[in-house]
């Protein structure tokens, strides 16, 4: 469940990066914020399909804007629900930029660049550590393979460890140590 949630957050993060790029391009093209979100939904649907996570979120924002809810509060709500720090930061920056009346398109462009650079660094770190993670998975399975090999080639070799009281205590302690090492 944790792995699925992590994958969902990574997917949402990647889609969000594209979402703010499209949104910033619409704002630079002269659209109002509301129309920029509407145009972004269309573009993002073409990129990620109807079931894209960011498409659903931006569609929700557009539907709520039609009910006269302010964009700032909708983005803040999206940030809270998503659990992504980048979305929360973007919502705060958006709110400040809109309040100050500054160049919203330029500010969004800069913010999109910073978030994109941050995500690129994270992807580089994941790429650099991928071989170590694979090595760790292989090494976690190796003890099972060794025990299976010894048990198949030398039947009765492990009888002392699993039939005597001392063997059971020692093997239980070893199993707990191994489980703790794999969990960390």
């Amino acid at each position: 469940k944790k792995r699925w949630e992590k994958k969902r957050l990574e997917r949402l993060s990647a889609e969000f990066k594209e979402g703010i790029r499209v949104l910033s391009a619409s704002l630079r093209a002269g659209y109002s914020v509301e129309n920029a979100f509407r145009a972004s939904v269309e573009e993002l649907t073409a990129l990620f399909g109807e079931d894209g996570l960011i498409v659903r979120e931006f569609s929700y924002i557009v539907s709520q804007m039609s009910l006269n809810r302010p964009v700032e509060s909708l983005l803040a709500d999206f940030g809270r629900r998503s659990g992504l720090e980048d979305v929360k930061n973007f919502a705060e920056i958006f709110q400040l930029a809109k309040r100050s009346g500054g160049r919203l398109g330029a500010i969004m462009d800069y913010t999109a660049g910073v978030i994109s650079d941050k995500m690129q660094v994270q992807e580089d770190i994941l790429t650099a550590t991928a071989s170590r993670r694979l090595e760790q998975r292989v090494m976690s399975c190796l003890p099972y393979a060794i025990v299976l090999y010894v048990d198949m080639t030398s039947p009765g070799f492990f009888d002392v460890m699993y039939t005597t009281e001392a063997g059971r205590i020692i093997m239980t302690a070893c199993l707990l140590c191994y489980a703790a090492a794999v969990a960390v």
Side-chain angles (χ1 to χ4, degrees):
K1 186 175 179 180
K2 285 181 184 179
R3 194 175 329 164
W4 180 83
E5 181 67 22
K6 184 178 177 186
K7 292 243 186 238
R8 190 191 72 76
L9 285 175
E10 288 172 0
R11 181 178 160 206
L12 180 60
S13 181
E15 289 182 15
F16 176 71
K17 178 176 74 170
E18 291 302 317
I20 60 173
R21 281 186 179 171
V22 170
L23 182 63
S24 125
S26 296
L27 288 170
R28 272 193 324 249
Y31 287 108
S32 68
V33 174
E34 291 78 13
N35 289 333
F37 269 99
R38 284 184 185 90
S40 297
V41 168
E42 293 171 13
E43 291 246 357
L44 293 170
T45 301
L47 279 173
F48 300 113
E50 291 288 329
D51 61 338
L53 297 174
I54 199 69
V55 173
R56 286 190 223 150
E57 291 296 336
F58 275 27
S59 296
Y60 175 75
I61 290 172
V62 168
S63 71
Q64 291 299 304
M65 282 188 310
S66 67
L67 299 174
N68 291 329
R69 288 196 54 202
V71 178
E72 299 87 2
S73 67
L74 293 169
L75 283 173
D77 180 49
F78 173 38
R80 279 189 301 277
R81 286 184 293 113
S82 71
L84 292 173
E85 194 65 32
D86 290 334
V87 178
K88 292 175 188 172
N89 292 339
F90 176 76
E92 289 175 15
I93 291 168
F94 187 88
Q95 185 174 21
L96 290 172
K98 190 154 187 208
R99 275 190 206 159
S100 68
R103 299 180 329 242
L104 198 57
I107 293 170
M108 293 302 106
D109 232 6
Y110 178 75
T111 305
V114 168
I115 290 173
S116 180
D117 290 345
K118 179 184 169 194
M119 289 179 179
Q120 184 63 42
V121 168
Q122 288 174 340
E123 288 173 10
D124 290 346
I125 290 170
L126 286 175
T127 302
T129 60
S131 65
R132 296 291 180 201
R133 287 193 312 270
L134 177 64
E135 183 179 309
Q136 179 188 9
R137 284 192 208 120
V138 170
M139 293 304 288
S140 322
C141 295
L142 201 55
Y144 295 113
I146 291 171
V147 168
L148 184 65
Y149 172 76
V150 170
D151 192 44
M152 288 175 64
T153 57
S154 302
F157 184 78
F158 291 125
D159 286 348
V160 173
M161 288 189 273
Y162 298 112
T163 57
T164 64
E165 194 68 30
R168 288 181 180 159
I169 292 171
I170 291 171
M171 292 309 293
T172 301
C174 290
L175 181 64
L176 292 174
C177 289
Y178 180 72
V182 169
V184 174

